[in-house]
């Protein structure tokens, strides 16, 4: 049985204490000088943005999505200081039970739990993560209703964390149509859409293109546009009266949380969302670099006898070390929590286990990040970004060798 076919856990089922979430995959790249200049020029602005973001930020987000075929106005946009408070506000505004794929981003389940909402994970197909199998989704919805639940919201990610895969357009369409037919609203987390490794060979379809009245799009700008230390996330709501009411509820929650974007950060984020040439070039260079390094890390995983889907987006990959279980057990590693501790110490970089993403902790799965492989200083990172053959740079080769050695000793 493939891991995606396992029975999802019941709400409230817990696999052990997880006291804090893992860090998001770090880009391992220096701050773009133009962004730093915009932030510095705005440093004297001491007032935060209004709840949901000011006009400049929301207009920039509108233009960003307009260039990607998603039309609307700045009144359909809401911003927050990071994806966690924005997702929390979205879940609160919709009410009911929450469905999500298994595995899923580490930020999703805690938000539902914080609100006391039942959350169900749905198996994904074998070829990708981020989007549930449509038939499993329908079965889960009907089971939840039969047990007295109220499924209202489906969270998906077409370009997925943690699996670093892209969902095929036909799967996205089938899953969204299944969700809408059952009265679910879809929240599409598109944080990683601009990090696709081979954009000219890949079709990425937003659910909002297929079901425009039933999909809210969510993006953490730290995926490709801004440093993670400058938290900004934006949401695009459908252009309907019902969505406008929900956006107003989201703003109420953000206000109650005090979740306001700092004005200097908002101006830098707006600059990034406008995508001037320097930002576009950085996005292109970063995706090319991450593709090369992620492929090399993927080869190291497979050479050691472990499993992983080929990474297609983002700056990480999701490895299944189940085939290496005997050697790991000899080192006292029998579940994903112990695997996280072991590999984090062994490779000297965060290696969050699958339990962080709602996966079965008995399975030996782990998310490996490419950011730590790109260099330890801004100078090394910049060299990695601009090199024609980044894998031949001494600092990159050294880090990849350390990763390969940590895996090879488990064969």
């Amino acid at each position: 049985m493939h891991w995606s076919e396992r029975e999802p856990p019941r709400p409230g089922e817990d696999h052990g204490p997880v006291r804090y979430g893992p860090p998001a995959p770090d880009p391992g790249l220096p701050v773009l000088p133009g962004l730093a200049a915009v932030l510095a020029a705005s440093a004297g602005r001491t007032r935060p943005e209004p709840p949901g973001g000011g006009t400049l930020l929301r207009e920039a987000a509108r233009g960003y999505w307009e260039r990607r075929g998603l039309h609307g106005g700045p009144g359909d946009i809401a911003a927050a200081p990071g994806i966690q408070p924005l997702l929390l506000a979205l879940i609160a505004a919709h009410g009911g039970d929450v469905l999500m794929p298994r595995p899923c981003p580490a930020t999703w389940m805690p938000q539902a739990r914080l609100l006391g909402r039942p959350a169900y994970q749905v198996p994904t197909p074998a070829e990708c993560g981020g989007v549930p199998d449509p038939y499993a989704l329908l079965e889960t919805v009907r089971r939840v209703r039969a047990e007295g639940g109220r499924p209202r919201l489906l969270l998906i990610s077409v370009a997925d964390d943690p699996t670093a895969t892209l969902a095929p357009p036909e799967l996205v369409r089938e899953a969204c149509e299944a969700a809408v037919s059952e009265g679910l609203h879809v929240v599409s987390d598109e944080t990683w859409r601009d990090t696709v490794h081979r954009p000219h060979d890949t079709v990425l379809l937003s659910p909002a293109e297929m079901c425009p009245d039933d999909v809210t799009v969510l993006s953490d700008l730290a995926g490709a546009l801004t440093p993670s230390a400058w938290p900004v996330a934006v949401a695009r709501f459908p252009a309907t009266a019902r969505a406008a009411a929900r956006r107003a509820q989201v703003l109420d929650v953000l206000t109650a949380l005090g979740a306001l974007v700092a004005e200097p950060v908002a101006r830098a984020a707006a600059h990034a969302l406008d995508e001037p040439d320097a930002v576009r070039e950085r996005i292109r260079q970063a995706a090319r670099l991450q593709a090369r390094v992620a492929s090399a890390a993927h080869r190291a995983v497979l050479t050691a006898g472990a499993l992983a889907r080929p990474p297609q987006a983002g700056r990480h990959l999701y490895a299944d070390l189940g085939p290496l279980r005997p050697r790991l057990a000899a080192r006292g590693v029998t579940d994903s929590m112990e695997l996280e501790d072991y590999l984090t110490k062994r490779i000297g970089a965060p290696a969050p286990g699958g339990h962080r993403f709602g996966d079965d902790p008995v399975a030996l799965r782990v998310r490996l990040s490419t950011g730590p492989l790109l260099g330890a200083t801004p100078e090394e990172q910049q060299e990695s970004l601009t090199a024609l053959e980044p894998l031949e740079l001494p600092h990159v080769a050294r880090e990849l060798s350390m990763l390969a050695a940590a895996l090879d000793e488990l064969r």
Side-chain angles (χ1 to χ4, degrees):
M1 177 180 289
H2 190 273
W3 76 64
S4 66
E5 297 171 349
R6 295 179 183 270
E7 177 71 12
R10 304 283 176 161
E13 180 179 334
D14 204 345
H15 300 301
V18 179
R19 292 174 297 170
Y20 50 86
D26 187 81
L29 297 172
V31 177
L32 194 63
L35 285 183
V38 173
L39 185 77
S42 305
R45 297 179 178 272
T46 58
R47 298 182 63 85
E49 295 274 287
T55 302
L56 182 69
L57 178 56
R58 290 185 290 109
E59 177 59 33
R62 182 210 61 78
Y64 169 87
W65 274 309
E66 181 87 18
R67 294 188 293 275
R68 286 154 179 80
L70 301 180
H71 308 291
D76 301 322
I77 309 294
I83 199 166
Q84 290 93 336
L86 190 51
L87 180 59
L88 182 78
L90 281 167
I91 295 173
H94 281 85
D97 302 349
V98 184
L99 280 72
M100 58 190 74
R102 184 184 193 191
C104 66
T107 58
W108 288 5
M109 188 66 74
Q111 310 307 316
R113 287 177 175 170
L114 189 61
L115 290 167
R117 298 288 172 78
Y120 298 82
Q121 289 188 283
V122 186
T124 57
E127 67 267 27
C128 69
V131 176
D133 177 87
Y135 297 103
L137 174 62
L138 291 172
E139 179 184 345
T140 301
V141 168
R142 290 161 188 166
R143 187 193 78 196
V144 170
R145 287 194 175 126
E147 295 176 353
R150 298 183 305 128
R152 294 284 180 83
L153 199 61
L154 173 66
L155 310 182
I156 63 174
S157 52
V158 178
D160 185 45
D161 171 22
T163 65
T165 58
L166 298 176
E170 59 273 15
L171 171 65
V172 178
R173 181 179 298 278
E174 291 172 6
C176 289
E177 289 177 349
V180 171
S181 72
E182 293 293 335
L184 273 65
H185 187 79
V186 179
V187 172
S188 176
D189 185 343
E190 300 181 11
T191 293
W192 302 101
R193 70 169 297 155
D194 294 325
T195 69
V196 174
H197 292 171
R198 294 172 180 82
H200 298 298
D201 302 328
T202 307
V203 176
L204 189 150
L205 190 63
S206 171
E209 297 180 62
M210 296 175 289
C211 306
D213 292 344
D214 298 288
V215 177
T216 297
V217 180
L218 183 65
S219 182
D220 186 341
L221 301 194
L225 294 171
T226 61
S228 56
W230 307 352
V232 185
V234 288
R236 174 196 174 274
F237 293 79
T240 66
R242 182 172 59 179
R246 284 180 175 151
R247 178 181 179 274
Q249 290 178 283
V250 165
L251 298 189
D252 286 342
V253 175
L254 294 176
T255 302
L257 293 173
L260 309 177
V261 181
E263 188 168 344
V265 173
R267 288 180 175 264
H271 178 78
L273 285 164
D274 284 337
E275 297 180 291
D277 290 343
V279 171
R280 288 178 180 270
E281 178 63 13
R282 167 58 71 87
I283 292 172
R284 186 193 67 78
Q285 288 180 320
R288 181 184 67 88
L289 173 61
Q290 299 290 358
R292 298 288 299 278
V293 177
S295 292
H298 182 247
R299 288 193 296 271
V301 169
L302 299 186
T303 299
L307 305 172
R309 297 184 181 104
Q312 298 173 289
R315 36 190 182 251
H316 53 276
L317 71 155
Y318 198 56
D320 184 353
L321 275 59
L324 309 179
R325 185 177 292 275
R327 295 295 295 271
L328 283 165
R331 290 163 169 78
V333 177
T334 60
D335 60 28
S336 65
M337 289 175 277
E338 293 168 344
L339 179 61
E340 175 182 303
D341 291 340
Y342 173 80
L343 275 182
T344 295
K345 293 175 183 176
R346 183 64 182 81
I347 66 177
H355 61 285
R356 303 283 189 177
F357 312 103
D359 218 336
D360 186 349
V362 176
L364 295 172
R365 299 187 191 110
V366 64
R367 187 185 69 187
L368 301 171
S369 296
T370 56
L373 307 177
L374 306 182
T377 67
E379 293 75 20
E380 287 183 345
Q381 295 165 353
Q382 184 65 31
E383 187 179 10
S384 299
L385 188 66
T386 56
L388 293 177
E389 298 295 338
L391 302 184
E392 296 179 4
L393 294 174
H395 58 271
V396 175
R398 180 177 62 251
E399 295 297 330
L400 282 169
S401 178
M402 290 176 60
L403 173 63
L407 296 169
D408 284 344
E409 67 186 21
L410 301 173
R411 296 178 66 180

